[in-house]
Amino acid sequence: MSEFAEITLGGQSYKFPVVTGTENEKAIDISNLRSDTGYITIDRGYKNTGSTQSAITFLDGENGILRYRGYSIEDLAEKSNFLEVAYLLIYGELPTQEQYKNFTYEITTHTLVNEDMKKIFDGFPVNAHPMGVLSSLVCSLSAFYPMPVNPLSDRTYLDLSIVRLLAKMPTIAAWSYKNSQGHAVNYPKNKYSYAENFLHMMFALPVDDYEPDPVVANALDKLFILHADHEQNCSTSTVRLVGSSHATLYSAISASICALWGPLHGGANQKVIEMLERIHQDGGDISKYVDKAKDKDSDFRLMGFGHRVYKNFDPRAKIIKKAADEVLESLGVDDPLLDIAKQLEEIALRDEYFVERKLYPNVDFYSGIIYKALNIPVNMFTVMFAMGRLPGWIAQWLEMRQNREPIGRPRQVYTGANHKEYQSLDKR
Ligand code: SDX
């Protein structure tokens, strides 16, 4: 039996159909609300508003569940690898051995970028934040590797564009770092895996025989998996909105990199480490900072805590916390910031303010501890998030285009001046 919602406006009753998802999530379809009633809804920050129906990622915020195409994040983080997860997110199913081999080969052999892109790198000051460099260079791919106006019209070329993005992102990211150090860039090597190649391009120097540490590469691959998609978060909603105007995939991804950069979103992982450093340098007085986070007159927030959807533990934070212990032990790193983070979590989760607001550690709370142990510079942390999130952004953009979603164009309630007669300057 079909379900519907009934509202009464101006004494008249209106019914709107209820949509039920495969995990029994419910939504009221208000597609005809304005045409039927003249009313719109308003929902600051879209806290109660669904922008689409998607088959890619499922989140259950109350129970701390995250699944990519039905597979649990715990299974994928433990048993899969990043390129396999990227294929799963983008093409909808786990690849066969043949598909995986071809996909990996294509990505491995498209890691070079057009040499003219170096001129763009050279145009940035050395202190440019790598997220700004990354967004600019990704957008420049539209110029170096033009896409057809209708990317779905040529599936082979579309798949090549997807491969180019996945393959060239680590090169652009690593080169932005090398540029900031005034170092010569390292070219990718086909003998390396995805994560190993990134580490090679980041850390190899002409004066040594750097070889990526397998422990570090595995940790990075797992972190990429954990960041790969997260349904309609701020940056993914950006890729869908920009893509809905039929701008190119590259420009939509460039825009989502900028959205992720914000400290309330992906930029939080950099802010968490800066916060932990500040607490450490201030003598490690955890309670002082928990109190500051609760003080409405203070603009201090516990970075890495809280989430719009998760009102329970972020399952990714649990996995990353465990991985942090394992990676630091394996690398013989003793980082006081990890102890501070654990104490902060323990105190906050016992504190009424955090309990009442269901504020738990999110994906950004522990990830920086691992990046730091892997010698990733702090201002590159959000770039790591972007590299991990790339397949999710691509998958969401592709689903939006394949489903022929209309251009995104929200309405508003106007609160400005009513009509005024114009008065010429000499009369004012
Ligand atoms: C990511 O959406 C996604 O899926 C994002 C992400 C992904 O994978 O794409 O998971 C990645 O962005 C994780 C979040 C990273 N950001 C941070 O860690 C920044 C710190 N956290 C917050 O600023 C905040 O929790 C947000 C932005 C994450 C969520 O904000 P909401 O949902 O708008 O909630 P809110 O700001 O309205 O907070 C509700 C209450 C407020 O108090 P009251 O007004 O009710 O008294 O909780 C308080 C807030 O002041 N609060 C915090 C807090 N987070 C919320 N108080 C102190 N410290 C915090 N971190």
Side-chain angles (χ1 to χ4, degrees):
M1 190 219 8
S2 61
E3 200 182 344
F4 57 81
E6 187 166 10
I7 57 169
T8 304
L9 292 167
Q12 192 169 344
S13 163
Y14 301 89
K15 288 185 176 179
F16 298 95
V18 167
V19 170
T20 304
T22 50
E23 288 290 339
N24 211 29
E25 293 166 306
K26 303 279 185 183
I28 301 167
D29 181 345
I30 55 168
S31 307
N32 299 324
L33 176 68
R34 192 168 186 279
S35 56
D36 289 3
T37 72
Y39 285 63
I40 64 168
T41 59
I42 196 150
D43 181 22
R44 289 175 68 239
Y46 310 112
K47 295 189 177 186
N48 305 282
T49 298
S51 60
T52 189
Q53 299 182 59
S54 174
I56 298 170
T57 291
F58 171 66
L59 293 194
D60 176 337
E62 279 63 36
N63 297 301
I65 293 171
L66 168 58
R67 296 188 200 128
Y68 297 159
R69 298 287 188 181
Y71 295 93
S72 77
I73 192 63
E74 291 81 3
D75 266 357
L76 293 171
E78 187 191 330
K79 300 168 186 166
S80 186
N81 67 64
F82 180 59
L83 289 188
E84 183 177 75
V85 166
Y87 187 99
L88 169 67
L89 286 167
I90 295 167
Y91 295 107
E93 296 293 344
L94 285 171
T96 62
Q97 288 182 43
E98 186 64 18
Q99 288 167 332
Y100 178 71
K101 185 164 153 269
N102 292 339
F103 189 63
T104 308
Y105 173 79
E106 286 302 311
I107 287 172
T108 302
T109 55
H110 281 86
T111 49
L112 287 172
V113 296
N114 186 305
E115 283 289 310
D116 284 347
M117 287 173 72
K118 280 185 174 175
K119 294 172 190 153
I120 308 172
F121 279 107
D122 294 342
F124 280 96
V126 287
N127 61 347
H129 194 289
M131 283 295 275
V133 178
L134 183 67
S135 174
S136 307
L137 271 294
V138 165
C139 201
S140 78
L141 294 174
S142 302
F144 291 100
Y145 308 98
M147 286 183 76
V149 173
N150 175 8
L152 303 182
S153 61
D154 180 344
R155 190 66 214 224
T156 307
Y157 196 81
L158 173 60
D159 289 340
L160 173 59
S161 303
I162 290 171
V163 160
R164 278 173 168 154
L165 249 177
L166 289 165
K168 299 179 193 307
M169 185 90 139
T171 307
I172 293 170
W175 284 17
S176 71
Y177 168 64
K178 282 302 200 186
N179 230 43
S180 74
Q181 301 301 302
H183 291 175
V185 296
N186 291 311
Y187 284 85
K189 289 186 184 295
N190 291 355
K191 68 177 182 179
Y192 288 133
S193 71
Y194 196 81
E196 287 171 341
N197 224 346
F198 175 71
L199 292 168
H200 157 71
M201 290 188 280
M202 279 286 288
F203 299 121
L205 287 167
V207 292
D208 68 13
D209 302 319
Y210 173 87
E211 280 298 327
D213 178 332
V215 170
V216 174
N218 286 335
L220 210 43
D221 193 85
K222 185 194 284 267
L223 284 167
F224 287 154
I225 291 173
L226 292 166
H227 286 81
D229 193 52
H230 215 238
E231 55 131 283
Q232 305 312 315
N233 57 83
C234 176
S235 53
T236 299
S237 299
T238 302
V239 83
R240 279 180 171 260
L241 192 59
V242 170
S244 72
S245 73
H246 292 189
T248 68
L249 169 60
Y250 299 129
S251 46
I253 298 296
S254 171
S256 55
I257 291 169
C258 291
L260 185 74
W261 192 357
L264 293 186
H265 191 13
N269 58 16
Q270 174 175 343
K271 296 299 174 194
V272 167
I273 287 296
E274 291 166 0
M275 172 186 75
L276 295 174
E277 294 274 17
R278 182 178 162 193
I279 296 172
H280 182 52
Q281 281 152 20
D282 189 17
D285 182 351
I286 309 274
S287 301
K288 171 181 166 187
Y289 285 88
V290 170
D291 291 342
K292 277 168 76 75
K294 293 155 53 179
D295 176 3
K296 290 302 173 195
D297 296 330
S298 149
D299 60 2
F300 178 82
R301 278 205 157 184
L302 218 45
M303 299 311 279
F305 254 75
H307 199 276
R308 174 62 58 75
V309 174
Y310 289 123
K311 300 308 171 191
N312 195 322
F313 259 93
D314 181 334
R316 301 166 298 177
K318 278 187 186 171
I319 297 169
I320 293 174
K321 179 181 177 182
K322 181 167 173 286
D325 280 328
E326 291 162 357
V327 170
L328 269 66
E329 188 186 345
S330 166
L331 296 175
V333 171
D334 177 16
D335 187 346
L337 301 190
L338 179 56
D339 298 332
I340 291 177
K342 288 180 176 175
Q343 290 170 50
L344 205 47
E345 175 186 345
E346 198 184 320
I347 292 174
L349 295 188
R350 286 202 309 264
D351 187 292
E352 188 49 34
Y353 173 93
F354 292 87
V355 173
E356 192 183 289
R357 291 168 178 79
K358 298 181 179 176
L359 303 176
Y360 290 86
N362 59 49
V363 68
D364 292 316
F365 190 61
Y366 285 105
S367 55
I369 301 278
I370 300 184
Y371 291 140
K372 189 165 168 284
L374 305 185
N375 290 322
I376 304 284
V378 175
N379 72 351
M380 287 284 288
F381 285 10
T382 312
V383 169
M384 311 308 292
F385 193 143
M387 284 169 58
R389 184 55 50 89
L390 181 59
W393 286 331
I394 293 170
Q396 299 274 351
W397 170 87
L398 187 56
E399 183 180 69
M400 179 273 302
R401 288 303 304 267
Q402 285 171 330
N403 291 351
R404 309 176 71 82
E405 300 266 357
I407 185 169
R409 201 273 184 221
R411 305 305 295 257
Q412 63 161 27
V413 171
Y414 176 69
T415 57
N418 298 115
H419 180 258
K420 295 177 181 176
E421 287 300 332
Y422 178 79
Q423 274 205 326
S424 58
L425 187 58
D426 60 345
K427 291 200 178 67
R428 273 179 261 158

